[in-house]
Amino acid sequence: MDFALSEEQELFRTAIRKYMNNLNGTEAARAVIDGKLDVVKSAASGLAEMGVTAIPVSEESDGLGLGALDLVPVFEETGRVLLPGSQLETLALAVPLLESFGTPAQKAARLPNVASGASTISVAWYEKGTSLFPNSFCCVAAKTENGYALTGTKTLVPVIGDPDVFITGAQTAEGKSLFLVKASDLSSVRTLSVVDETQQLAEVTFDAAPGELLGEPGNAADMLKHGLLHFNAALCSSMVGGMDELVKMTAEYAKIRVQFNQPIGRFQAIKHGIVNMKLDLETARSLSYYAAWAVETDAVDKVAAVHSARSFISKAYIKAAGDSIQIHGGIGFTEELDVQLFLKRARYYENYFGSVRDSRKATAHSLGWHSVPAKRDAVPVS
C-alpha cells in the first residue's frame, strides 16, 4: 500500500511549513507561556488566509469539502512547532460533529464562520471525578419554551484562542445529549494550571445557559465516539509532527556536541538511540496515515485503525521526548532548549480526550477481543 501523500498535499505542506518558519518555530508557543496570547489569534488568522480552516467544511457551507487526509500535513506541521490554538478541537472534532449531526440551520449558522476563520469551537465535556464516558452527567439540561437551559460545571475545557461556541454534554430526560452553547452565555470561566503551559484549560460554569440541541437527544456518547475518530486521527498527525522535529533536533545536536574530542553521534549508544527514535517515527507515521485514510474512506476497520494508532503514537511520542532529553544530557531539561516543551506536550496529549488505556479498550472491542466468552463445561479436578 502506498502511504505517501499526493503531490498537492505535499505542496500544501511546503506552504504551511514556510508559514510556520516565518513564525520562528516554537516562538508562538513560548509567547503563550509569557502571557502574550495575541500570537494565537495572529497565527490562526494566517492559517485561515491559507484556507486551512475551510478544509473539512463542506462546499455547501462555504468550505473546501476535503477529508481527513488533507488535514495530515496541516497538523504535522503545526505539531512540529507546538503551535498553540484551537485548530484540533475546531476542525477535527467540532466540524465533524456539526457536519454529521447538525441541522441545516445549525450548519448554516456555524460552519461558514469556521471556514472563514471568524469562529472557533471548543468542546466542554469532562466533569470532576468522571471518566470520558460517565454513566450520567451532573450538568443538566432543562426544557424551556425556546429550547434548553443548561446548568452545571465542566472542567478541563480547552479555551485557548477564545472559542466563541462550546459543544457540551448534559443530562436530559432522554439521557446524555449534546448541545451548542455560546461562550457569551457562560456564567464563569476559571483558568486551570496545565503541565503544558503552551495550552489553556479552564473550568466553565453554566447557569441556565441557553443551549441548542445537537443531534438526537440521548445519543451524546455515540456521537462523541464518532467525533473522536476524526479527532484522534488528527491528534496522531500532530504527535507525528512533534516526533519528527525531536528526531531532527536530536540528530543535529549529536553532530555538534563533542566529547573525548569527537561528536557524540559517533558513539554506538547515541547512534542506536537515534535510530530507534527514527524507527518509532516511521511506524507512527504509517499508522497515522492509515488512520486518516480509514476515517476519510469510512473503512470497516476505522475504529481499530484510529485507536491502535493513538495508543502507539502517544507512548512513542513520550519515549522520543524522553530519549531526546537523555541524549541532550543536563541541558535537555533547561528552558532554553525546546526538548522539554515537546515532553510536556507529549504528556498533555497522553490523556487528551481519552487515555491510552481508553484507546486500547476501544481497539480491543472493535476487534471482538472483549466479547463474552462462551460458557465452558467444568473441568474435572483429578
Side-chain angles (χ1 to χ4, degrees), residues 77-91:
E77 295 308 312
T78 54
R80 184 187 300 279
V81 299
L82 304 175
L83 187 73
S86 298
Q87 289 81 24
L88 266 173
E89 295 79 6
T90 301
L91 303 181

Side-chain angles (χ1 to χ4, degrees), residues 160-200:
I160 194 162
D162 294 330
D164 53 336
V165 178
F166 290 91
I167 294 178
T168 189
Q171 194 70 31
T172 64
E174 295 85 358
K176 292 181 291 183
S177 307
L178 285 187
F179 294 89
L180 293 162
V181 178
K182 294 179 182 176
S184 56
D185 289 328
L186 297 180
S187 63
S188 69
V189 178
R190 184 172 69 88
T191 304
L192 305 173
S193 61
V194 187
V195 64
D196 180 0
E197 296 164 304
T198 66
Q199 300 290 318
Q200 278 192 324

Side-chain angles (χ1 to χ4, degrees), residues 9 17 45 92 97 106 139 147 172 179-180 195 259 275 317 374 382:
Q9 288 163 340
R17 183 172 295 187
S45 176
L97 286 172
Q106 287 171 336
C139 182
T172 64
F179 294 89
L180 293 162
V195 64
Q259 200 166 38
V275 167
Y317 193 12
S382 59

Side-chain angles (χ1 to χ4, degrees), residues 127 136-144 147-154 168-181 206-214 217-218 220:
E127 296 181 353
S136 63
F137 284 129
C138 293
C139 182
V140 295
K143 279 190 175 179
T144 64
Y148 288 85
L150 276 65
T151 301
T153 300
K154 296 287 182 177
T168 189
Q171 194 70 31
T172 64
E174 295 85 358
K176 292 181 291 183
S177 307
L178 285 187
F179 294 89
L180 293 162
V181 178
F206 307 99
D207 186 6
E212 293 178 41
L213 181 66
L214 179 63

Side-chain angles (χ1 to χ4, degrees), residues 84-380:
S86 298
Q87 289 81 24
L88 266 173
E89 295 79 6
T90 301
L91 303 181
L93 187 49
V95 169
L97 286 172
L98 276 167
E99 289 281 6
S100 299
F101 305 108
T103 63
Q106 287 171 336
K107 293 179 185 178
R110 312 287 183 197
L111 292 178
N113 287 334
V114 171
S116 67
S119 171
T120 57
I121 305 175
S122 187
V123 179
W125 180 263
Y126 282 108
E127 296 181 353
K128 273 187 178 177
T130 61
S131 67
L132 184 62
F133 293 104
N135 292 327
S136 63
F137 284 129
C138 293
C139 182
V140 295
K143 279 190 175 179
T144 64
E145 292 182 357
N146 300 320
Y148 288 85
L150 276 65
T151 301
T153 300
K154 296 287 182 177
T155 189
L156 303 177
V157 181
V159 292
I160 194 162
D162 294 330
D164 53 336
V165 178
F166 290 91
I167 294 178
T168 189
Q171 194 70 31
T172 64
E174 295 85 358
K176 292 181 291 183
S177 307
L178 285 187
F179 294 89
L180 293 162
V181 178
K182 294 179 182 176
S184 56
D185 289 328
L186 297 180
S187 63
S188 69
V189 178
R190 184 172 69 88
T191 304
L192 305 173
S193 61
V194 187
V195 64
D196 180 0
E197 296 164 304
T198 66
Q199 300 290 318
Q200 278 192 324
L201 297 178
E203 183 179 272
V204 302
T205 302
F206 307 99
D207 186 6
E212 293 178 41
L213 181 66
L214 179 63
E216 294 295 322
N219 288 339
D222 290 339
M223 291 162 65
L224 184 69
K225 285 178 183 175
H226 169 80
L228 284 176
L229 290 180
H230 294 262
F231 176 80
N232 282 323
L235 185 65
C236 287
S237 298
S238 180
M239 291 191 287
V240 167
M243 289 179 69
D244 201 0
E245 187 63 20
L246 279 168
V247 172
K248 178 185 168 189
M249 71 170 64
T250 307
E252 287 177 352
Y253 179 76
K255 292 176 185 173
I256 61 172
R257 173 76 168 90
V258 175
Q259 200 166 38
F260 304 117
N261 296 322
Q262 56 185 325
I264 62 172
R266 291 185 178 176
F267 301 140
Q268 275 199 334
I270 302 297
K271 282 183 184 176
H272 289 177
I274 295 174
V275 167
N276 286 335
M277 290 171 66
K278 181 71 174 173
L279 287 173
D280 281 349
L281 168 63
E282 293 309 319
T283 304
R285 177 172 280 131
S286 298
L287 289 170
S288 167
Y289 284 11
Y290 185 74
W293 176 85
V295 168
E296 182 167 313
T297 60
D298 197 23
V300 175
D301 62 344
K302 62 182 178 183
V303 176
V306 170
H307 285 288
S308 59
R310 164 78 192 270
S311 58
F312 175 85
I313 298 172
S314 292
K315 287 298 182 185
Y317 193 12
I318 294 170
K319 185 176 183 301
D323 289 349
S324 181
I325 286 178
Q326 290 293 323
I327 292 173
H328 277 82
I331 64 170
F333 288 99
T334 62
E335 292 185 354
E336 283 73 16
L337 295 193
D338 286 341
V339 188
Q340 44 91 23
L341 295 177
F342 284 92
L343 179 61
K344 290 173 182 173
R345 178 63 64 90
R347 284 295 185 187
Y348 177 79
Y349 280 162
E350 184 181 13
N351 294 293
Y352 197 50
F353 285 114
S355 63
V356 170
R357 180 184 172 85
D358 290 332
S359 284
R360 287 175 177 166
K361 285 175 66 177
T363 304
H365 277 294
S366 70
L367 296 173
W369 293 349
H370 277 197
S371 58
V372 179
K375 190 175 181 181
R376 298 177 179 175
D377 295 334
V379 178

